[in-house]
Each structure stands twice: as C-alpha cells, then as structure tokens.
Amino acid sequence: MLDRWTLTLIKPPLKRLARGCDQQGIRANQVTLAGFALGMLVVPLLGFQLYTLALIAIVLNRLADGLDGELARLQGATDGGALLDIVLDFIFYAAVVAGFALANPADNALAAAFLLWGFMGTASSFLAYAILAERRKLSSMTYPSKGFYYLEGLAEGTETIAFLVAMCLFPGHFVGLAWAFFGLCVITTATRVVGGYHSLKDDPATARQDV
C-alpha cells in the first residue's frame, strides 16, 4: 500500500549509489547474494536475542534489495536476476519470523507459525498472478520497472519492513505485532485472490493493459 510513495523517496539516493557500484565493477547479482547472506544472519542473532544486531542485518538486507534493482536497470536486467531477487526476498522474510520463534519458543512460536501462514498467502497470490500476467502480457503502470507484475495489496514491502523493524525494537511485543500483521496478510491475500480472479476470469483475448 505504501510502496509507491517510499520507492519515490529512496530511488534517487539508490540510483547514485548504484552508479558508484557500477563504476567499481560490482554486479547486481553479487549485491543480491551478499544482501541475502547478511539477511540470513538474523536467524542466529534473533535466536540469541541480539535484537539490535538483527535490526542492522535487516536494514542492510533491505538496502541491498533496493540497490540490486537499480544496478540491474543500469547493467541490463535479466530473468535470472529477477528470480533470485524475489525468491531470496521471501526466504529472508520467513527467516526473520523463524528467528523470533527461536528467540522465545514458548511465547512466540504460535504467533510466528500463523504469521508464516499469512506470508504463504501473500507470496502465493503475488507470484501466481505474476505468472498469469506474464502469460497475458499484462504490465503494471504503477511499477513498470519491476521484473514481473507487481500486484499491489494492503501488506507490501514497506509494511513488512516496518513490522520487522518494530519487532526488533520492541521484541516483548512480538506476539501482538505478529497477530496484527497476520491480519493484514489475510486481508491482502483475500483482496488479491478476489481481484485477481475477476481480472483474469475473462478470455485472454479480452485482457487489457493495467491502467
């Protein structure tokens, strides 16, 4: 829901950083993999309740996620790079939730399990629509530079990052935050499934470009 505004704010500095990385010969996929490696540190860090360090790992991972996209647009985006980007993103998000379950299994595990359930809904509805949109040659006017059809929803990247940051800042409130975000994921999944079904139920020949 908030991505269209946050992307407008962060794109200019990311573009400048990407130009500097490009001049140094750094490739987009290298940034993707490095960011993922940093992101995976959240599991042991959260498991040992090192919440500040986990927050730093989250921020660095998200910075890399924005930077690799700008680098790809400079160097030439590839389908392989787009695949790495989205798959590793979803693995990272799930890893953070798993880390909080490790931090306090007795209190956090149930809420973490339901939040992962919610992530399954948002991820599957997002990726399934992207596949069918590609088959119909649909393009998003809101996010035209994305490597796949970026289906909007109540819980997008900005909201996810905000909740993950809040969980690190207030780990004692993980359960409440997890249940709240699970609710947002359920609403997002439902609206995507209903909206996506209605936009795809007609014969492909009648499909129009998203406006």
Side-chain angles (χ1 to χ4, degrees):
M1 184 174 66
L2 299 177
D3 280 6
R4 66 179 70 188
W5 292 287
T6 55
L7 288 174
T8 301
L9 292 174
I10 66 175
K11 268 185 173 294
L14 283 176
K15 284 182 177 179
R16 290 193 293 270
L17 184 57
R19 285 194 292 268
C21 290
D22 184 51
Q23 291 169 1
Q24 296 299 316
I26 299 172
R27 308 300 297 175
N29 287 348
Q30 292 174 330
V31 175
T32 301
L33 294 172
F36 178 69
L38 287 169
M40 287 302 95
L41 293 175
V42 299
V43 177
L45 290 173
L46 289 172
F48 287 108
Q49 301 184 10
L50 301 173
Y51 298 111
T52 300
L53 292 177
L55 177 56
I56 293 172
I58 290 171
V59 171
L60 291 175
N61 172 274
R62 293 298 82 200
L63 175 62
D65 182 60
L67 179 59
D68 65 5
E70 294 302 327
L71 264 175
R73 282 181 275 279
L74 275 177
Q75 298 169 348
T78 66
D79 290 343
L83 174 69
L84 279 179
D85 183 59
I86 190 63
V87 171
L88 297 185
D89 273 357
F90 283 126
I91 293 173
F92 164 73
Y93 290 142
V96 177
V97 179
F100 275 103
L102 282 175
N104 188 346
D107 293 338
N108 293 352
L110 181 62
F114 272 80
L115 183 53
L116 288 174
W117 181 17
F119 280 1
M120 283 294 296
T122 57
S124 60
S125 59
F126 181 93
L127 294 175
Y129 191 89
I131 292 169
L132 295 170
E134 175 64 24
R135 180 184 297 176
R136 293 191 178 206
K137 305 302 180 185
L138 301 178
S139 60
S140 172
M141 295 296 98
T142 306
Y143 303 104
S145 62
K146 293 290 185 179
F148 41 82
Y149 195 104
Y150 196 91
L151 187 61
E152 297 177 73
L154 188 60
E156 296 178 344
T158 301
E159 291 80 10
T160 303
I161 296 166
F163 269 90
L164 297 184
V165 168
M167 290 168 181
C168 288
L169 292 175
F170 310 103
H173 296 283
F174 170 81
V175 172
L177 290 167
W179 283 114
F181 198 52
F182 169 70
L184 292 182
C185 289
V186 170
I187 295 170
T188 297
T189 302
T191 56
R192 283 177 175 171
V193 170
V194 173
Y197 170 77
H198 283 287
S199 69
L200 296 171
K201 67 178 181 178
D202 297 325
D203 187 273
T206 66
R208 298 184 298 112
Q209 187 180 57
D210 170 40
V211 295

